[in-house]
Amino acid sequence: MTSQTTMAEPGQQPGEPGKQGSDDGLQAGLKNRHLSMIAIGGVIGAGLFVGSSAGIAAAGPAILVSYALVGMMVVLVMRMLGEMAAARPTSGSFSAYADRALGRWAGFSIGWLYWFFWVVVLAVEATAGATILEGWVPAVPQWAWSLIVMVVLTATNLVSVGSYGEFEFWFAGIKVVAIGAFVVVGLLAVFGVLPGSDNPGAGFAHLTDAGGFFPEGPGAILTGILMVVFSFMGSEIVTLAAGESSNPQRAVSKATNSVIWRIAVFYLGSILVVLTLLPWNDASIVKDGSYVAALNSIGIPHAGQVMNVIVLTAVLSCLNSGLYTASRMAFSLGRRGDAPQAFARVNKRGVPQAAILSSVVFGFVAVFFNYQWPDTVFQFLLNSSGAVALFVWLVICFTQLRMRGIILREQPEKLVVRMWLFPYLTWATIAMISFVLVYMLTDDAGREQVLLSLLVAALVVAVSLVREARGRKAGATPVE
């Protein structure tokens, strides 16, 4: 195990003069409007735009129940995470809390698994963005667009946390305005009051007129859950970003309290509009994508290109946030002695340069794998990170069970956000997530994701336990 140095005083890095910023050396460069939009946009991933059509085809109108159940699970997990993050904001978020509540092995393992998840996402989103851009400018090959997108967003993150926040503010803003407009315009068309609409305005009839609300049977709700659960990953980003704001407690409290309406409007609201504008089995939903099909049914001209612009914005937003999130987790792991010490250093602008560059290098490698071996190496990376979101949520639940007592004992005045019906709802959430993981084993695609993700998780946990044992043998003092 690497020897672990004593950490500097809050807001100061080892060997560096004191800086104005957060308590771990990062600059408090995120404004309230940045954090508000990061919180709102964090639950709107590109998966909502691209993946919803497959869920609708599998479950019909019952996909609304799937979205509602997963949304409820995310609300509960975010409430738990909000309780801990409001009391102790840090760039390591749930990894740092797991370190304290469950042990070094837990913080190390979930931190590296989360980092791994996001660097694989970088490759997925870079390729998705490049595909759209190549369609607009075919003279530039797809791999070049991937490179351009990655370089631009890496540069943005390297300049300052404020530049990341500004980019994300506008990216997330476009997503929010687009979905808000889609819901309003769609509902007007649903009730037949949209001027010039081609839609017959059937009200809510389409929810039941093509085989009923459960056309594929109630069991399809579970299939739908497997298809939509991963489109919710990203809501926890605001708790990592809060550590680089001037008032992290307020930011976390606000984000936690607003997560219910965000999921209700952006997920349930927009999917409800699609299902009421068209019968669920309309061929155009799968052929063109659910949102494009809905816009076409209203008579919006150039609906496909409009959606491409919005999806590209969502992809760039996800890329931007993925790079930020991966680098901050690497930074936190470095501070705790669980990653190279260089990751824990910040430059004169308060940016963890080494943590950002190491994350983007792996992202570049993953992009290369995606072009060179898409069906073998890259598919393995995708599947082995597929269930990490559920692992993260489980760890947050178990951590909160222990952290509530720690906070009450050490800083009871910091418990400004509380988990509802503690500990009963925490245990109920653990049961829900565990059920989803077990049910994934009955699904062909899900089984491979769970087993490969468990294999990778087991390897990371084994590494952490070996390091811990060697550290005890060497007499190293754990980093607080």
Side-chain angles (χ1 to χ4, degrees):
M1 183 171 175
T2 342
S3 62
Q4 297 176 9
T5 59
T6 307
M7 299 313 294
E9 290 296 315
Q12 184 179 347
Q13 289 300 304
E16 291 185 4
K19 296 176 183 288
Q20 293 295 319
S22 62
D23 65 355
D24 50 15
L26 298 170
Q27 290 294 318
L30 292 176
K31 300 173 183 175
N32 285 334
R33 65 183 177 87
H34 293 154
L35 280 169
S36 296
M37 201 55 77
I38 289 169
I40 295 170
V43 293
I44 310 171
L48 173 62
F49 298 105
V50 180
S52 55
S53 54
I56 291 171
I63 195 69
L64 284 168
V65 181
S66 304
Y67 272 105
L69 289 172
V70 178
M72 181 174 67
M73 197 160 66
V74 171
V75 166
L76 294 174
V77 170
M78 277 298 293
R79 188 74 187 182
M80 289 179 246
L81 184 54
E83 176 180 296
M84 298 182 286
R88 298 188 173 185
T90 174
S91 60
S93 189
F94 51 84
S95 172
Y97 309 141
D99 199 308
R100 175 71 194 278
L102 305 178
R104 292 293 302 283
W105 68 271
F108 175 95
S109 304
I110 206 63
W112 277 114
L113 284 172
Y114 191 68
W115 178 86
F116 173 59
F117 172 86
W118 279 110
V119 291
V120 172
V121 166
L122 290 181
V124 174
E125 300 297 340
T127 307
T131 304
I132 295 172
L133 289 166
E134 187 190 27
W136 293 343
V137 187
V140 179
Q142 197 179 101
W143 66 266
W145 277 122
S146 292
L147 184 65
I148 291 166
V149 165
M150 291 277 277
V151 167
V152 168
L153 292 179
T154 301
T156 301
N157 275 264
L158 284 172
V159 169
S160 70
V161 69
S163 63
Y164 154 73
E166 199 63 33
F167 263 71
E168 192 55 25
F169 176 80
W170 291 106
F171 286 154
I174 291 170
K175 289 190 293 185
V176 168
V177 169
I179 293 192
F182 176 80
V183 170
V184 171
V185 170
L187 287 176
L188 290 175
V190 164
F191 293 109
V193 293
L194 182 68
S197 171
D198 296 341
N199 194 278
F204 295 113
H206 288 323
L207 292 178
T208 55
D209 65 3
F213 191 76
F214 299 99
E216 302 293 336
I221 292 171
L222 295 174
T223 306
I225 285 175
L226 300 188
M227 293 180 151
V228 307
V229 66
F230 302 109
S231 65
F232 283 84
M233 191 66 169
S235 21
E236 70 290 331
I237 291 174
V238 70
T239 64
L240 284 87
E244 293 180 78
S245 69
S246 55
N247 192 343
Q249 192 177 74
R250 177 179 177 274
V252 169
S253 302
K254 192 174 175 183
T256 305
N257 291 330
S258 65
V259 72
I260 296 175
W261 72 259
R262 287 185 275 131
I263 287 173
V265 172
F266 298 129
Y267 278 83
L268 292 175
S270 62
I271 297 299
L272 176 65
V273 165
V274 172
L275 289 166
T276 47
L277 285 174
L278 291 162
W280 71 273
N281 54 0
D282 191 296
S284 64
I285 291 180
V286 173
K287 179 175 172 286
D288 302 325
S290 53
Y291 289 83
V292 173
L295 290 173
N296 281 332
S297 77
I298 298 172
I300 302 287
H302 311 296
Q305 286 305 321
V306 170
M307 247 3 263
N308 270 341
V309 171
I310 296 168
V311 170
L312 179 63
T313 305
V315 162
L316 294 177
S317 170
C318 195
L319 246 176
N320 196 35
S321 287
L323 181 52
Y324 171 83
T325 306
S327 65
R328 276 9 180 223
M329 188 56 76
F331 170 80
S332 177
L333 288 165
R335 276 180 53 81
R336 287 177 273 144
D338 290 336
Q341 196 65 45
F343 287 7
R345 299 194 187 100
V346 296
N347 61 21
K348 61 184 179 181
R349 294 184 299 277
V351 172
Q353 188 169 297
I356 291 173
L357 291 175
S358 64
S359 301
V360 84
V361 163
F362 193 96
F364 276 126
V365 171
V367 169
F368 172 74
F369 288 157
N370 195 7
Y371 286 113
Q372 194 66 29
W373 301 290
D375 300 321
T376 51
V377 179
F378 189 69
Q379 193 60 41
F380 171 80
L381 289 178
L382 272 183
N383 286 331
S384 58
S385 64
V388 166
L390 293 168
F391 295 166
V392 167
W393 294 346
L394 262 185
V395 167
I396 289 171
C397 294
F398 283 112
T399 301
Q400 191 260 341
L401 285 172
R402 299 286 300 275
M403 279 299 289
R404 167 67 75 91
I406 293 171
I407 295 167
L408 283 174
R409 188 170 63 249
E410 297 178 358
Q411 297 172 299
E413 74 283 356
K414 294 288 185 72
L415 202 61
V416 293
V417 175
R418 287 176 180 261
M419 177 59 183
W420 307 298
L421 297 177
F422 176 82
Y424 308 109
L425 269 183
T426 301
W427 281 110
T429 310
I430 289 171
M432 288 168 66
I433 297 169
S434 302
F435 176 78
V436 172
L437 280 168
V438 171
Y439 186 75
M440 284 178 75
L441 293 173
T442 67
D443 177 78
D444 290 339
R447 186 184 307 114
E448 188 173 7
Q449 287 187 11
V450 171
L451 294 177
L452 284 176
S453 297
L454 279 172
L455 174 64
V456 172
L459 289 172
V460 175
V461 170
V463 169
S464 70
L465 292 174
V466 168
R467 290 177 80 254
E468 209 167 329
R470 289 177 62 190
R472 280 197 300 270
K473 189 175 178 182
T477 307
V479 176
E480 289 295 331

